[in-house]
Amino acid sequence: MSTVWRRIISSLGLKSRSDEADLLEPDELARWYSGLDLKQRLAVSRNLASRVRAPRASRDPATLPAVASGRLVFEQDGPQGPIALHHLKVELWDRDFGTPDDFLGEGFTDATGAFSIRYDPADAGEGDLPDLELRFFEPQHTFRKDGRVVETWRRIGSERGPDDHGGLQYDFGTVRVPYWEYDPATTLARLLVVEEGTPPTAYAPGRSLAMLKAVAPIELIKRQHQLQARLGQAPSLAKIQADYPESTTARMERESPGSTRSDAYFGERLLNGMFSSVMDRDPESPGDDQAFRLYLPWNAYEQDGRHCLPDVDVRLRLVEGKLLPVRIILGMREPGATAPGSPVTRRTFTPADGADWEAAKRMARVSATLDVELGNHLGQCHFNVEQYAIAAHRNLRRNPLRWLLMPHLREVVLINHSANGFLVGSTGYITRASALTERGINKRLEHLMGSYDWKGFAPAMPVCEGHRYAKAGQLFWRLLGEHIDAFFAEHGTELEAQWHEVRRFSDDLVAHSAPAFVCRYLRAKVPGKDAPWFVRSERMDLDAKAAEPPPKAVSAVTRTDAPQPGEVEALKNLCRYVIFFATFRHAWANNLQWEDAGEVLYSCLGLRWGKGGTLSTEADLDVAPKPDEATEMLWISWMLSKTNYGFILSNEEEDVHPRLLALLRAHAAEFSALGLDVRTVSSRINI
């Protein structure tokens, strides 16, 4: 029996046939090892190497006789040529067949991506010339309960070198690594995933179980409805609705008919529901701090001509602490009109208009649902956070900033990749169920992404005592500030010492963000003017972003390899912004899907042009979604609201600093009083 196999058997606690237990011969163990998959063989190699090999005496790497060198760069070049993959861990191994591979040495790439690893060819084994292989690793971390960091490394790729290399030098040359690449086919900062390919990350195992648990009860319902529709026996909307769990609005209507269709409920959901958004003052009522406006400009985008999606201009007023709609102006196209900027007829509705008023509110509610799905949810949370995730994974390795941000950036690219075909794209649900075409959706998303910037952001102040969403946002924002200030106080010295990674992170963000977008109306009304009606705190700086040619939407944190005055504070603001949208903001928009979009006739993504137009009662099913779209809508709303894994307070992966958990737990009662169970807030976007 070879010495190597004797050591393996001993390390595994097994006995050979020469022992009394008579269990394994060397060839049997060799077959067992060769039958393992690559991941298992690597685990054996890494875990047993120190016990299989005779202990090495401590050696000065400079005295080792051989050296392997090279340079790692991203697969795609930048404007100035190859882009260095800095600070990746690299290991040099001797490949063996049937026996564990031999570790030869390790190192790190420098700022230019270059590496040099000294090694002893004799470590490949007696009489064996090394078959060289280079392996690359990215850092991972967990936090102990006391806040100390535990670092580990995850293999991300490898490069084969020569077999039976007998020389003392080998240059791997420039090695291109396809690692967190940007998609060149879009103006947005999206991850490149080739057809039939997979993103360079994976969901936590528990997420799959959470999805199955949430969706399994309703999957059969949807499939049955879809089969009936294909057979020409589509169930009625009432039957479809009844087959799903009772929604919030359906329950409220059963208990108190008309309650969810009232003016008061309409205003309350604009403040505190899934639709929660910035409430500007009414620019036509200067000085009146009780008058508000919500404007949704849909005529700027291509539409399918089958659904009706007018411009929606809602005027609201605070009355005894309640936000009530007082006027709705709809800019209606003609049926069948598809081109952006088509002629519109403006119609104004007030509560005195009876049935027409109720129809106008429904149209506004549907419009707000589409706006929140594309804006507050998909655009401002999912795609917005993705651009920070890509830049962070490409650049943050030695900088402690990675420990702060990465727990909130994991998995977002995975769920966004699914959304490419599931929600948007030529066959996505939003494309099929709303008036916007694929081109219209893409243009809307481009405009939205062109309006998001971390710089100057702070949650808007509450507009009234009952504005629970804004109050909860302010509280969450304050706690994030405390958490981030403490983190920077603890790690600030090292963070500044590794500032060149921050600079590269910032450069990637700016270079790949969308062009800043400021619509014609805002250009005329806000930049350079006194516009007290316009809430600036949640918006980018229009004075800076309205310049021509349009600057990039995302502002730079730094442009130097050492922090300049004010840049550390700027970085804190960026971190606060990213974590806020990956946690609180996404939870509020996503978790209320079933509450606000769980009844087809109450709210959907699009109303059709019916025989009598679209301004008709809910009894007119010609304008409502078709049965197959209705069941899909309810399935999606339930799935999004009920699939939850990766809660901050659960911290399943132990990657969130315990300080943030303690802060949130300490204020759980305050959040609860504002309608937020902080236990339902996820640490990242994965649904």
Side-chain angles (χ1 to χ4, degrees):
M1 180 186 294
S2 71
T3 302
V4 168
W5 282 117
R6 288 186 186 280
R7 289 181 181 142
I8 290 179
I9 290 171
S10 175
S11 69
L12 292 174
L14 303 175
K15 295 183 179 181
S16 71
R17 292 192 183 277
S18 61
D19 297 310
E20 291 182 2
D22 223 21
L23 292 179
L24 288 175
E25 284 285 0
D27 60 339
E28 292 175 318
L29 192 53
R31 287 196 300 272
W32 166 80
Y33 177 80
S34 62
L36 300 176
D37 60 30
L38 176 61
K39 184 176 181 181
Q40 292 169 323
R41 292 201 305 272
L42 292 175
V44 170
S45 298
R46 179 174 292 276
N47 293 335
L48 301 184
S50 62
R51 288 180 282 178
V52 171
R53 294 191 300 267
R56 292 178 181 169
S58 178
R59 296 177 293 183
D60 180 357
T63 66
L64 299 180
V67 61
S69 59
R71 183 182 181 219
L72 300 188
V73 299
F74 286 95
E75 178 72 27
Q76 296 181 7
D77 289 345
Q80 282 75 48
I83 304 172
L85 254 171
H86 61 273
H87 301 164
L88 273 185
K89 183 180 181 183
V90 288
E91 293 183 352
L92 187 67
W93 287 74
D94 163 45
R95 296 187 309 275
D96 282 320
F97 181 76
T99 60
D101 299 338
D102 294 300
F103 174 78
L104 300 178
E106 66 182 6
F108 289 85
T109 60
D110 63 16
T112 69
F115 65 89
S116 179
I117 302 173
R118 301 202 69 90
Y119 69 100
D120 187 347
D123 289 339
E126 185 177 352
D128 183 16
L129 293 176
D131 305 325
L132 297 182
E133 180 171 287
L134 191 69
R135 300 174 182 177
F136 329 130
F137 298 82
E138 66 178 5
Q140 310 277 289
H141 81 272
T142 57
F143 280 107
R144 298 180 187 271
K145 291 183 179 180
D146 61 3
R148 287 186 296 167
V149 176
V150 178
E151 289 272 27
T152 56
W153 295 91
R154 186 176 79 93
R155 182 173 170 180
I156 60 172
S158 61
E159 179 75 7
R160 291 175 68 95
D163 292 337
D164 296 327
H165 181 65
L168 295 181
Q169 291 188 350
Y170 182 73
D171 185 358
F172 280 87
T174 297
V175 179
R176 291 185 175 272
V177 182
Y179 183 69
W180 289 92
E181 305 289 345
Y182 286 100
D183 187 347
T186 174
T187 58
L188 309 182
R190 300 296 311 281
L191 182 72
L192 174 63
V193 182
V194 298
E195 188 174 358
E196 304 305 324
T198 56
T201 184
Y203 288 118
R207 193 264 188 188
S208 299
L209 298 178
M211 171 69 78
L212 182 62
K213 182 177 180 180
V215 174
I218 62 169
E219 182 70 20
L220 185 60
I221 296 172
K222 182 189 72 170
R223 292 186 184 185
Q224 183 178 20
H225 292 163
Q226 291 175 332
L227 177 60
Q228 289 174 313
R230 285 195 296 270
L231 294 175
Q233 302 170 1
S236 67
L237 292 189
K239 177 66 166 61
I240 290 172
Q241 190 73 55
D243 285 346
Y244 281 89
E246 187 176 43
S247 69
T248 301
T249 53
R251 174 183 55 77
M252 292 177 63
E253 285 301 306
R254 175 173 53 79
E255 296 174 350
S256 179
S259 58
T260 65
R261 273 62 171 178
S262 68
D263 292 355
Y265 195 72
F266 180 94
E268 201 280 333
R269 300 319 288 169
L270 289 183
L271 287 179
N272 298 314
M274 179 182 79
F275 318 113
S276 303
S277 56
V278 177
M279 280 290 164
D280 290 316
R281 296 297 195 272
D282 188 344
E284 296 179 7
S285 302
D288 187 349
D289 61 2
Q290 304 297 299
F292 297 87
R293 183 196 194 194
L294 178 66
Y295 182 57
L296 303 173
W298 298 114
N299 194 46
Y301 306 102
E302 182 180 83
Q303 300 184 16
D304 63 10
R306 300 187 305 276
H307 294 85
C308 178
L309 183 60
D311 287 341
V312 175
D313 188 349
V314 184
R315 307 302 170 95
L316 306 109
R317 188 167 192 81
L318 278 176
V319 179
E320 297 179 351
K322 295 182 178 180
L323 188 68
L324 302 178
V326 294
R327 185 160 47 112
I328 298 176
I329 304 102
L330 301 179
M332 307 282 286
R333 294 181 175 190
E334 291 297 316
T338 62
S342 293
V344 299
T345 301
R346 302 201 178 278
R347 297 182 59 187
T348 299
F349 303 89
T350 70
D353 291 318
D356 284 349
W357 172 248
E358 297 302 320
K361 280 195 302 182
R362 184 187 186 196
M363 181 65 72
R365 191 162 56 237
V366 168
S367 179
T369 304
L370 178 60
D371 182 63
V372 75
E373 293 294 8
L374 285 177
N376 294 11
H377 188 204
L378 188 61
Q380 199 170 33
C381 292
H382 282 256
F383 290 171
N384 187 23
V385 171
E386 178 175 357
Q387 65 184 339
Y388 292 90
I390 298 173
H393 278 94
R394 286 170 63 90
N395 296 290
L396 300 181
R397 278 177 281 279
R398 286 185 180 172
N399 198 299
L401 192 64
R402 176 171 57 84
W403 304 333
L404 178 66
L405 287 181
M406 287 305 190
H408 310 291
L409 298 176
R410 60 183 298 162
E411 303 180 340
V412 65
V413 297
L414 293 166
I415 193 65
N416 290 359
H417 178 58
S418 299
N420 291 343
F422 176 60
L423 289 180
V424 295
S426 59
T427 60
Y429 180 74
I430 296 177
T431 312
R432 291 181 284 112
S434 78
L436 295 179
T437 64
E438 180 183 9
R439 186 157 44 229
I441 289 172
N442 289 341
K443 180 57 68 174
R444 177 63 174 168
L445 286 170
E446 182 181 324
H447 287 170
L448 289 167
M449 292 296 289
S451 67
Y452 303 144
D453 189 14
W454 63 267
K455 189 173 184 179
F457 178 90
M461 298 298 293
V463 303
C464 63
E465 185 61 30
H467 200 174
R468 294 180 289 103
Y469 162 75
K471 290 182 176 181
Q474 290 285 328
L475 175 57
F476 206 97
W477 184 255
R478 177 171 64 82
L479 298 180
L480 285 181
E482 293 179 17
H483 167 53
I484 291 167
D485 282 344
F487 184 90
F488 272 66
E490 183 178 3
H491 300 289
T493 301
E494 181 63 16
L495 195 150
E496 293 186 33
Q498 301 294 338
W499 193 258
H500 52 289
E501 288 196 348
V502 176
R503 192 258 175 89
R504 293 185 180 189
F505 170 65
S506 177
D507 287 348
D508 261 351
L509 277 173
V510 175
H512 296 279
S513 67
F517 173 73
V518 184
C519 70
R520 288 196 302 267
Y521 176 83
L522 291 180
R523 283 179 180 273
K525 298 291 185 180
V526 178
K529 300 178 177 65
D530 181 25
W533 56 272
F534 184 72
V535 176
R536 296 177 184 267
S537 63
E538 290 202 17
R539 269 70 170 259
M540 63 185 183
D541 183 351
L542 295 192
D543 291 300
K545 301 299 185 180
E548 293 292 347
K552 291 292 190 175
V554 176
S555 296
V557 172
T558 182
R559 299 190 186 279
T560 61
D561 286 340
Q564 303 303 303
E567 290 183 345
V568 170
E569 287 301 314
L571 183 58
K572 287 183 183 181
N573 291 340
L574 180 148
C575 295
R576 201 175 183 185
Y577 172 89
V578 172
I579 300 173
F580 182 80
F581 279 96
T583 56
F584 171 82
R585 189 67 163 251
H586 180 258
W588 199 282
N590 183 78
N591 296 358
L592 292 175
Q593 296 268 350
W594 187 247
E595 188 165 330
D596 285 314
E599 184 188 352
V600 176
L601 295 182
Y602 171 78
S603 185
C604 58
L605 292 184
L607 296 175
R608 296 178 290 164
W609 287 103
K611 297 175 183 177
T614 57
L615 293 176
S616 56
T617 67
E618 292 180 11
D620 182 4
L621 299 183
D622 285 340
V623 305
K626 294 181 293 184
D628 57 336
E629 292 175 354
T631 191
E632 193 171 359
M633 167 193 153
L634 297 177
W635 183 91
I636 291 172
S637 294
W638 178 271
M639 181 269 295
L640 293 177
S641 291
K642 306 302 180 180
T643 302
N644 291 300
Y645 180 81
F647 299 118
I648 292 181
L649 294 189
S650 297
N651 197 18
E652 294 95 341
E653 278 65 57
E654 299 181 327
D655 55 353
V656 180
H657 197 293
R659 181 192 305 108
L660 181 56
L661 280 62
L663 282 170
L664 294 176
R665 288 192 181 106
H667 294 83
E670 294 174 62
F671 281 115
S672 180
L674 296 171
L676 176 67
D677 183 348
V678 75
R679 294 172 299 179
T680 66
V681 177
S682 294
S683 64
R684 72 273 197 179
I685 298 172
N686 61 9
I687 189 63

